């Protein structure tokens, strides 16, 4: 169990007991069980959890909250809290615990993050300001709470329901299932973050990644058409890419198999553009297939330029066709940004990508993709005609065993600083 020490710090003296308490609770109650433990341990008057919604611009308060939220489902209640200009925005940006005095006590807000992927924030009301050691413990507990959420959300729709602050169409439901469970991943040799701004009629964009012992796999795709038709095309291609990847195929065989599967299961003339990348972490080399997709951008040494790639035809148009596997040059300190054409549509043409990438060089990739998505929404007035998707890779090189930092801005170390 968690034990309070004389100096006010917290030690995990019996982790098995804590895990048993969480695991014996129903998945929908796991967070409340953890909150009760924290309240008793720290003498907190109040413990609450807020999770980030699908838009990334709102937090939703879940758990044992008063019936004050604007949404209810059975006995559940959800209260939405806008992020901009709040302490939550600062906490999630800096990944630092915030302490504010409230009457005779203190309100403490901590980030809930796993491998750089922001899940939400934790609020505690304490009877007295915490000591520096307690603040450090609370930060660690927030990280632990993130793992509890990741595990338990597999068994319930509660968290999904909470994140849906706007209605979700069938095509968006399908599209969401094609995206990775975590939009950000921090590891020793890289940090990766993706984001998707859906159009009013879903355009079939996806991004995906998988991190094996010695390989990082990436993909970004854009299906022709809109709504369910585009979502179904994306489903076939992403499923085929994953199937071939998990069968251990090399990059050339993987894309040929996926192309043939898409051609076999879609109508003539329908296609998906995309880029599929494989990075050998041991050799520190990368290869890419470019199937009719916009070229990625690279920030290197303060200069932004397109990565020169030959362009093959999109996936699904010609079964049996091979695709060129091209080198993707990587140097420690590089930032590579992959996009779909929704980020480049004519209504977003006034977005200067080169200047924006230079201006955001100091930011964590998680913030870069949000900044680019927000810029496109602002320029288009929120009326996107096509999905806008971006995938940002910071490459550090070095040893695969290098310790990952739970990056934040302004403390985030840029790729160049970490190289």
């Amino acid at each position: 169990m968690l034990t309070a020490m004389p100096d006010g710090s917290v030690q995990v003296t019996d982790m098995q007991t804590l895990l048993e308490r969480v695991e014996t609770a129903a998945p929908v109650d796991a967070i409340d069980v953890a909150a009760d433990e924290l309240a008793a341990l720290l003498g907190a008057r109040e413990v609450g959890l807020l999770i980030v919604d699908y838009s990334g611009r709102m937090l939703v308060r879940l758990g044992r909250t008063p019936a004050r939220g604007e949404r209810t489902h059975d006995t559940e209640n959800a209260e939405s809290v806008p992020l901009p200009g709040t302490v939550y925005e600062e906490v999630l940006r800096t990944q630092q615990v915030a302490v504010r005095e409230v009457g005779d006590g203190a309100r403490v807000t901590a980030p809930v993050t796993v491998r750089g992927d922001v899940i939400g924030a934790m609020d505690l009301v304490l009877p007295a300001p915490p000591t520096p050691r307690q603040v450090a413990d609370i930060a660690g507990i927030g990280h632990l709470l993130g793992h509890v959420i990741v595990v338990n959300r597999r068994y319930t729709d509660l968290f999904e329901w909470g994140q849906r602050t706007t209605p979700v169409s069938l095509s968006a439901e399908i599209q969401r299932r094609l995206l990775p469970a975590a939009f950000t991943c921090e590891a020793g040799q890289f940090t990766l973050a993706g984001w998707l701004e859906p159009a009013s009629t879903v355009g079939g964009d996806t991004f995906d990644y998988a991190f094996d012992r010695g390989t990082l796999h990436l993909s970004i795709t854009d299906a022709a058409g809109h709504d369910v038709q585009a979502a179904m095309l994306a489903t076939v291609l992403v499923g085929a890419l994953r199937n071939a990847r998990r069968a251990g195929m090399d990059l050339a065989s993987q894309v040929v198999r996926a192309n043939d599967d898409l051609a076999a299961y879609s109508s003539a003339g329908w296609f998906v553009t995309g880029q599929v990348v494989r990075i050998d972490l041991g050799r520190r080399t990368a290869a890419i297939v470019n199937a009719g997709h916009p070229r990625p951008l690279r920030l290197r040494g303060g200069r932004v330029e397109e990565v020169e790639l030959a362009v093959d035809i999109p996936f699904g148009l010609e079964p049996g066709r091979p695709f060129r596997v091209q080198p993707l040059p990587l140097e420690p300190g590089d930032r590579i940004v992959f996009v779909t054409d929704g980020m480049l549509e004519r209504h977003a043409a006034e977005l200067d990508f080169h200047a924006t990438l230079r201006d955001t060089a100091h930011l964590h990739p998680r913030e870069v993709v949000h900044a680019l998505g927000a810029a496109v929404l602002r320029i288009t007035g929120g009326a996107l005609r096509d999905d806008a998707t971006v995938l940002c890779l910071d490459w550090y090189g070095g040893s695969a065993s290098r310790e990952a930092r739970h990056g934040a801005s302004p403390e985030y170390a840029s790729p160049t600083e970490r190289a």
Side-chain angles (χ1 to χ4, degrees):
M1 61 181 291
L2 292 173
T3 304
M5 303 302 290
D7 64 356
S9 65
V10 175
Q11 285 190 344
V12 181
T13 58
D14 188 356
M15 183 61 72
Q16 185 64 36
T17 301
L18 176 63
L19 291 175
E20 286 177 357
R21 283 206 62 198
V22 172
E23 289 183 355
T24 55
V28 293
D29 294 328
I31 297 304
D32 289 334
V33 168
D36 287 346
E37 182 81 359
L38 290 175
L41 172 67
L42 300 172
R45 300 168 185 164
E46 181 182 322
V47 178
L49 169 71
L50 301 95
I51 60 172
V52 179
D53 81 333
Y54 274 178
S55 75
R57 292 177 283 275
M58 191 88 68
L59 285 176
V60 179
R61 192 183 304 276
L62 293 176
R64 294 174 182 172
T65 59
R68 61 189 177 191
E70 67 276 9
R71 291 186 295 131
T72 58
H73 177 67
D74 294 332
T75 60
E76 305 296 338
N77 187 273
E79 176 194 7
S80 297
V81 179
L83 263 177
T86 67
V87 65
Y88 303 114
E89 181 182 47
E90 181 69 11
V91 165
L92 297 185
R93 184 183 69 83
T94 65
Q95 291 292 290
Q96 301 294 317
V97 176
V99 179
R100 295 153 290 157
E101 292 190 10
V102 179
D104 60 346
R107 179 175 290 275
V108 181
T109 302
V112 177
T113 305
V114 176
R115 280 197 174 272
D117 190 44
V118 170
I119 294 170
M122 176 178 64
D123 263 341
L124 303 96
V125 178
L126 302 178
T131 65
R133 179 62 182 269
Q134 285 176 317
V135 170
D137 288 336
I138 289 169
I141 291 168
H143 186 60
L144 176 62
L145 188 59
H147 286 279
V148 171
I149 295 170
V150 167
V151 170
N152 283 278
R153 71 179 303 149
R154 296 181 299 176
Y155 306 107
T156 174
D157 283 338
L158 173 62
F159 300 104
E160 281 280 338
W161 170 77
Q163 289 181 283
R164 298 181 178 201
T165 51
T166 58
V168 176
S169 66
L170 173 59
S171 51
E173 183 78 54
I174 296 170
Q175 182 187 52
R176 186 77 185 182
R177 300 284 73 79
L178 300 177
L179 301 178
F183 283 14
T184 302
C185 179
E186 292 179 338
Q189 291 176 278
F190 66 89
T191 296
L192 175 71
W195 191 249
L196 186 155
E197 292 287 353
S200 55
T201 56
V202 168
D205 280 13
T206 74
F207 65 89
D208 195 21
Y209 69 88
F211 179 27
D212 299 334
R213 191 178 299 276
T215 310
L216 174 62
H217 309 265
L218 306 174
S219 70
I220 186 168
T221 64
D222 182 1
H226 292 277
D227 292 327
V228 174
Q229 175 67 51
M232 295 306 293
L233 285 174
T235 297
V236 174
L237 181 67
V238 172
L241 287 171
R242 287 173 175 169
N243 182 256
R245 183 185 77 210
R246 291 164 181 168
M249 292 185 178
D250 61 22
L251 181 55
S253 301
Q254 179 187 354
V255 295
V256 168
R257 167 73 69 83
N259 175 67
D260 290 352
D261 287 344
L262 184 63
Y265 291 104
S266 61
S267 301
W270 290 97
F271 62 88
V272 181
T273 71
Q275 287 160 352
V276 185
V277 180
R278 182 166 294 188
I279 300 176
D280 186 316
L281 299 175
R283 294 187 175 91
R284 305 170 201 171
T285 59
I288 184 171
V289 168
N290 184 21
H293 204 75
R295 293 184 176 93
L297 297 174
R298 177 176 56 222
L299 172 63
R300 176 183 290 174
R303 181 183 177 186
V304 179
E305 59 187 356
E306 277 193 352
V307 177
E308 290 297 325
L309 294 174
V311 181
D312 285 326
I313 66 171
F315 297 118
L317 288 178
E318 188 178 322
R321 181 187 178 96
F323 290 80
R324 285 171 285 189
V325 176
Q326 306 175 63
L328 178 62
L330 286 179
E331 294 181 4
D334 281 355
R335 169 168 287 175
I336 310 293
V337 176
F338 306 87
V339 299
T340 60
D341 60 8
M343 297 292 292
L344 308 171
E345 65 168 77
R346 58 190 178 90
H347 292 279
E350 58 187 274
L351 173 61
D352 188 334
F353 256 78
H354 288 62
T356 302
L357 288 181
R358 286 193 299 269
D359 292 344
T360 58
H362 64 291
L363 296 181
H364 190 283
R366 176 184 59 239
E367 294 184 76
V368 173
V369 297
H370 278 269
L372 289 169
V376 169
L377 283 179
R378 184 177 62 253
I379 290 170
T380 60
L384 290 176
R385 296 190 176 186
D386 196 5
D387 296 346
T389 303
V390 58
L391 190 60
C392 179
L393 170 69
D394 278 5
W395 175 249
Y396 314 125
S399 169
S401 63
R402 189 172 184 173
E403 181 183 357
R405 286 182 53 183
H406 299 292
S409 298
E411 290 78 11
Y412 175 70
S414 69
T416 301
E417 294 170 326
R418 290 188 60 183

